[in-house]
Amino acid sequence: AEPKVQAADLVERLATVHPQRYAGLDAGSLTRALKAHGVAVVQVFRDGSNRNGYTLDSLRRAAARGHTPGSAS
């Protein structure tokens, strides 16, 4: 597993794995949803591009607390 993922890549992966749940999700919406659950944005450098993203550790901690991207609670 990657230690970090860019927000745009995570949006694409979520939409691929769960298309009905995450169709139409964009990086900004994901960032707002994750921020509400304590997931901070970090800079992720991939393929010559430095963009906003998340650490796997922070996503796992949020998941352990029962939070999923795009959920209101």
Side-chain angles (χ1 to χ4, degrees):
E2 300 173 57
K4 295 180 184 178
V5 63
Q6 289 183 346
D9 290 339
L10 183 54
V11 165
E12 185 177 311
R13 292 175 191 180
L14 289 169
T16 298
V17 175
H18 300 286
Q20 290 135 346
R21 183 171 194 163
Y22 297 110
L25 182 68
D26 62 29
S29 297
L30 179 64
T31 296
R32 286 187 294 280
L34 290 174
K35 182 179 179 181
H37 298 294
V39 178
V41 172
V42 297
Q43 292 298 298
V44 181
F45 186 79
R46 293 278 188 283
D47 301 322
S49 171
N50 196 29
R51 300 188 188 267
N52 288 343
Y54 317 97
T55 64
L56 178 59
D57 186 51
S58 67
L59 294 170
R60 285 182 172 159
R61 282 194 310 266
R65 292 189 302 265
H67 300 147
T68 56
S71 70
S73 58

